Amino acid sequence: MRKDVRILLVGEPKVGKTSLIMSLVSEEFPDVVPYRVEEITIPADVTPERVPTHIVDYSEAEQTDEQLFQEISKANVICIVYAVNNKTSIEKVTNHWIPLITENTDKDSRVPLILVGNKSDLVEHSSMETILPIMNQYSEIETCVECSAKNLKNISELFYYAQKAVLHPTGPLYCPERKDMKPLCVKALTRIFKVSDLDNDGILNDNELNFFQRACFNSPLEPQALEDVKNVVRKNLIDGVQHNGLTLKGFLFLHTLFIQRGRHETTWTVLRRFGYDDDLELNQDYLFPPLKLPPDCTTELNHNAYLFLQSVFDKHDKDRDCALSPDELRDLFDVFPYMPWGPDVNNTVCTNDQGWITYQGYLSQWTLTTYLDVQRCLEYLGYLGYSIIAEQESQAAGITVTRAKKIDLQKKQTQRNVFRCNVFGDMSSGKSGFLQAFLGRNLVQQKMIKEEHRSYYAISTTYVYGQEKYLLLHEVFPDFDYLTDADMACDIVCLVYDVSNPYSFEYCAKVFKQYFMDSKTPCMMIAAKSDLPEAKQMYGCSPLEFCRRHKMPPPQSFTCNTAAEPNREIYIKLTTMAMYPHARLRCMCTCNRCTFCLCQNLLNSELLQTVRAKLYAVVLRRHIIQEDLTSSTFWLRASVGATVFAVLGYAVYRALLKTR
């Protein structure tokens, strides 16, 4: 909606333009009327629409044509004033003023016109019979108001209609010739209907109608009022109401009726609530709300956003198979101006046997979009009506901005749920296979992927110590000399080499030495295609020795040439290293059977946590008197006990590691 309204009054001399303005301001007819009054600004709190209004007068005696043209170009609405007792002034409306205004305004930005018949106190008849044919001829004419500056008749109404013509224009909504809504308006209202249809059954039931009413007008409809609305639709449209709910046809009919009855502000209120501007395009402020993203921080969806996206999935998964078929996916994105997901998405996330995106894959793709391009995610959530359905101020309320990575490293813990792994490797080293294996596809299934549908990303969930986390794999193009900052910005680096190619490891070693040897980013070496005969790598040392020298975990064997789904343990290891980059893990296993895992489970066990809590309680319990706290005997006993406990614990830990 506009922040202010500029009204220009034009017309023949002596028709009462200046008198109308002065009567509005002073609420009485002036004894002396000047040729022209200066621009008047009416404060927002005085106007019905709560918008500041500027009223500009024009005088042929005091202003040049050039000044008139400038005022016409600046006006939001133009009132053409004529005298109802002067036929010449009425004729001038069509043969002078309308052509003049048309010539001096942009064809693409139509300026609404209001015809004002002044001096109605001087005649007993109405001029509407003469004016109606003019209104039918020119679609830019919003309405006609007959008034009297002398009797103060319809003065306030005149300027209210002028405001209304700017803030709630009829032009973008309705075509008078066809007596129907324009295509852009129908398209916008159709999207609004589909967003409001929470169960996707093609009908707005009473609950959905009341939710819509509250979202747009801040109050629900009374049961009788709701029934009256449906009865109006029933009387005028056969299929406007079905199963006691409002169909799309009925919804569109209601808004057509509002516009025809001069209540187009109702339709505009709905359109603006759902993000539309005066041109019936989604507002940029609605699609891209402000979101502050400091450096070294990432973006994730929060719990409320995931709940909303889950409801959208359930709404369109009509066959309840936990996957979206191509038709269901098109139906979901029908509220978008374009199809946001291409064929490559099916090779970025998990799919079922038919190649349809699963529920997990659906959420993974949203997580990926949020992480890589949060502005695009905000736009997509805007199309789905997140702020309305989730009752939030904007889409930004569904985004969590994580704290800086350096703080995570300092505190040696992270609050993030999405971790990025950049995958480096020479040509044909097995990087793409490594990505696709993460999605559960073996070599046979990977060969069915078309080259044009190939994806350089793969994202899915892994579980680390019982916590669900997203791991995002990104295949970096193997151009050693042109690695960008984005190529190196990640939580963990994965260096893939082909065990059967003697020259494959050299690339990984060079990348590590030049870009990651002195960084704090953990790295893992992947010995891909381990099902093939292993060749000696033509490098100064073996991959195992290289990893030992640089304090990296030993190379991890991997193959996707399996009958079933490839093993996922390696991806859990990657996520674990990304979550705990400060920890130099001597074991890369998450089997829960080896010594390291048993020790980790012991340290994280509820029993140990309970014992520690009780020790704290004993030391800090309230009934310890001041004398005890200052007693050297008390502190000696506490120190000895703590020392014994620490020594015994460490001894057990070392003994368990040695047995391994």
Side-chain angles (χ1 to χ4, degrees):
M1 186 182 288
R2 289 184 179 275
K3 295 181 179 179
D4 61 355
V5 175
R6 190 175 182 85
I7 304 172
L8 172 64
L9 274 70
V10 299
E12 295 300 297
K14 306 295 184 181
V15 293
K17 301 184 294 297
T18 307
S19 299
L20 288 170
I21 298 172
M22 295 180 71
S23 295
L24 173 73
V25 175
S26 63
E27 296 185 352
E28 61 180 6
F29 187 70
D31 295 329
V32 179
V33 181
Y35 283 111
R36 175 178 170 270
V37 293
E38 294 298 321
E39 179 181 322
I40 292 172
T41 299
I42 302 175
D45 56 354
V46 178
T47 63
E49 296 291 340
R50 301 294 177 184
V51 175
T53 302
H54 312 281
I55 302 175
V56 181
D57 192 11
Y58 164 70
S59 171
E60 186 177 336
E62 292 190 356
Q63 291 175 288
T64 63
D65 289 345
E66 185 62 32
Q67 288 175 312
L68 172 61
F69 300 155
Q70 288 179 0
E71 289 296 346
I72 289 174
S73 65
K74 290 191 291 184
N76 302 130
V77 58
I78 299 174
C79 296
I80 304 176
V81 184
Y82 64 90
V84 294
N85 63 340
N86 186 336
K87 289 185 178 181
T88 304
S89 67
I90 297 175
E91 291 171 357
K92 285 279 189 177
V93 170
T94 54
N95 58 30
H96 176 68
W97 288 109
I98 293 179
L100 180 71
I101 293 167
T102 304
E103 289 172 9
N104 290 278
T105 53
D106 190 356
K107 292 180 180 179
D108 296 328
S109 57
R110 170 186 168 277
V111 179
L113 304 178
I114 305 288
L115 300 186
V116 181
N118 192 22
K119 303 186 181 182
S120 62
D121 58 294
L122 299 181
V123 295
E124 296 181 358
H125 62 275
S126 172
S127 63
M128 292 306 294
E129 289 186 8
T130 309
I131 295 301
L132 279 174
I134 299 174
M135 293 178 65
N136 293 330
Q137 183 180 354
Y138 297 96
S139 60
E140 57 264 46
I141 298 175
E142 290 284 327
T143 188
C144 177
V145 181
E146 288 192 345
C147 57
S148 170
K150 187 173 183 179
N151 295 342
L152 306 182
K153 177 185 175 183
N154 288 341
I155 302 298
S156 298
E157 287 79 359
L158 156 64
F159 291 100
Y160 167 70
Y161 284 125
Q163 263 194 345
K164 189 176 173 182
V166 177
L167 303 176
H168 311 298
T170 309
L173 306 180
Y174 191 75
C175 179
E177 291 82 8
R178 292 189 296 109
K179 296 184 179 179
D180 201 359
M181 286 191 295
K182 291 186 174 179
L184 271 179
C185 182
V186 172
K187 182 180 177 182
L189 290 172
T190 301
R191 170 186 165 264
I192 291 169
F193 179 89
K194 291 184 176 181
V195 168
S196 304
D197 183 12
L198 302 179
D199 55 10
N200 199 31
D201 63 350
I203 295 170
L204 295 184
N205 58 39
D206 287 0
N207 289 333
E208 291 166 341
L209 282 170
N210 268 319
F211 183 86
F212 169 82
Q213 184 74 13
R214 283 197 306 272
C216 296
F217 305 101
N218 298 319
S219 62
L221 282 171
E222 294 295 328
Q224 187 56 49
L226 196 59
E227 201 58 37
D228 291 343
V229 168
K230 288 188 280 190
N231 285 334
V232 170
V233 178
R234 284 191 188 101
K235 289 178 183 178
N236 292 274
L237 211 60
I238 297 173
D239 52 355
V241 177
Q242 291 181 0
H243 306 293
N244 202 35
L246 203 62
T247 65
L248 175 60
K249 286 186 178 179
F251 184 75
L252 294 175
F253 168 78
L254 270 181
H255 283 281
T256 305
L257 199 63
F258 290 145
I259 297 166
Q260 289 175 341
R261 293 183 176 180
R263 290 177 53 194
H264 35 280
E265 65 271 16
T266 303
T267 301
W268 273 116
T269 301
V270 171
L271 289 166
R272 290 189 174 119
R273 179 66 183 91
F274 279 79
Y276 289 93
D277 60 16
D278 291 349
D279 298 319
L280 295 184
E281 298 288 342
L282 283 169
N283 201 309
Q284 294 297 296
D285 293 337
Y286 167 80
L287 289 177
F288 305 104
L291 180 70
K292 188 177 180 181
L293 183 59
D296 201 31
C297 298
T298 59
T299 46
E300 301 175 1
L301 293 166
N302 61 27
H303 180 65
N304 288 334
Y306 277 120
L307 287 178
F308 169 76
L309 291 171
Q310 179 183 347
S311 70
V312 173
F313 182 93
D314 293 339
K315 172 179 172 178
H316 293 89
D317 183 20
K318 295 179 181 178
D319 52 9
R320 296 290 180 263
D321 62 347
C322 289
L324 294 175
S325 69
D327 288 339
E328 290 171 341
L329 202 60
R330 278 192 294 271
D331 186 42
L332 190 154
F333 291 125
D334 194 41
V335 294
F336 284 55
Y338 56 88
M339 185 66 179
W341 293 0
D344 61 309
V345 172
N346 294 60
N347 300 315
T348 305
V349 298
C350 294
T351 58
N352 63 10
D353 294 337
Q354 296 169 284
W356 299 352
I357 296 173
T358 62
Y359 171 69
Q360 180 189 340
Y362 164 82
L363 292 182
S364 296
Q365 179 62 24
W366 277 101
T367 303
L368 175 70
T369 306
T370 308
Y371 187 93
L372 295 180
D373 189 351
V374 68
Q375 291 299 318
R376 183 64 57 88
C377 178
L378 292 172
E379 178 188 359
Y380 290 174
L381 289 173
Y383 293 140
L384 291 173
Y386 173 78
S387 60
I388 293 101
I389 304 303
E391 299 181 81
Q392 300 289 338
E393 186 177 347
S394 72
Q395 297 88 271
I399 305 296
T400 295
V401 178
T402 65
R403 68 187 181 190
K405 188 177 177 182
K406 61 182 180 182
I407 298 177
D408 285 349
L409 291 171
Q410 290 170 2
K411 293 183 176 291
K412 296 186 177 181
Q413 61 180 1
T414 182
Q415 300 171 333
R416 290 184 296 150
N417 295 304
V418 185
F419 298 92
R420 177 170 180 159
C421 172
N422 282 356
V423 182
F424 294 84
D426 205 357
M427 297 290 288
S428 304
S429 59
K431 300 187 300 299
S432 299
F434 185 73
L435 265 67
Q436 291 301 312
F438 183 39
L439 305 177
R441 299 180 184 124
N442 59 27
L443 190 61
V444 175
Q445 293 168 318
Q446 291 176 26
K447 288 180 178 178
M448 299 170 65
I449 298 173
K450 296 180 180 179
E451 182 62 29
E452 60 269 24
H453 297 164
R454 181 183 173 189
S455 175
Y456 292 94
Y457 291 95
I459 183 170
S460 189
T461 54
T462 61
Y463 285 86
V464 178
Y465 302 125
Q467 300 178 62
E468 185 183 46
K469 302 294 180 182
Y470 281 95
L471 179 63
L472 163 60
L473 302 179
H474 171 47
E475 179 183 343
V476 179
F477 190 76
D479 191 344
F480 181 77
D481 297 324
Y482 294 99
L483 293 183
T484 64
D485 292 339
D487 292 333
M488 293 180 285
C490 57
D491 301 300
I492 183 168
V493 173
C494 191
L495 301 163
V496 180
Y497 71 95
D498 179 0
V499 297
S500 65
N501 183 349
Y503 302 99
S504 183
F505 177 74
E506 183 180 6
Y507 176 87
C508 295
K510 285 183 177 179
V511 168
F512 176 81
K513 283 188 171 182
Q514 180 161 342
Y515 294 105
F516 300 106
M517 188 166 67
D518 298 324
S519 75
K520 294 182 179 180
T521 306
C523 300
M524 180 188 281
M525 199 72 70
I526 305 294
K529 304 182 184 181
S530 60
D531 58 302
L532 299 178
E534 185 173 357
K536 182 180 179 180
Q537 296 297 318
M538 294 300 169
Y539 189 70
C541 61
S542 68
L544 180 60
E545 182 61 29
F546 182 89
C547 291
R548 284 176 180 169
R549 288 180 185 177
H550 297 286
K551 298 180 181 179
M552 292 169 60
Q556 304 292 302
S557 297
F558 174 80
T559 179
C560 57
N561 190 9
T562 57
E565 288 187 6
N567 195 304
R568 287 175 58 90
E569 279 193 13
I570 196 166
Y571 303 105
I572 299 174
K573 295 176 184 179
L574 286 169
T575 312
T576 306
M577 289 179 67
M579 285 180 66
Y580 306 107
H582 54 277
R584 295 294 182 184
L585 302 181
R586 295 183 59 183
C587 174
M588 288 306 300
C589 183
T590 53
C591 64
N592 289 322
R593 294 189 300 274
C594 69
T595 306
F596 179 82
C597 290
L598 291 174
C599 289
Q600 285 290 100
N601 292 338
L602 175 64
L603 292 172
N604 293 324
S605 66
E606 289 186 12
L607 177 62
L608 195 63
Q609 300 295 333
T610 304
V611 170
R612 188 171 65 177
K614 288 188 178 296
L615 283 172
Y616 279 126
V618 168
V619 173
L620 300 175
R621 69 184 186 276
R622 292 186 176 183
H623 66 264
I624 294 178
I625 60 175
Q626 188 66 29
E627 290 79 9
D628 286 343
L629 291 175
T630 56
S631 169
S632 59
T633 306
F634 170 79
W635 286 112
L636 179 62
R637 283 183 296 173
S639 301
V640 171
T643 304
V644 170
F645 182 79
V647 169
L648 286 175
Y650 183 71
V652 171
Y653 180 75
R654 292 289 295 176
L656 287 172
L657 285 180
K658 282 183 180 180
T659 59
R660 178 175 174 272

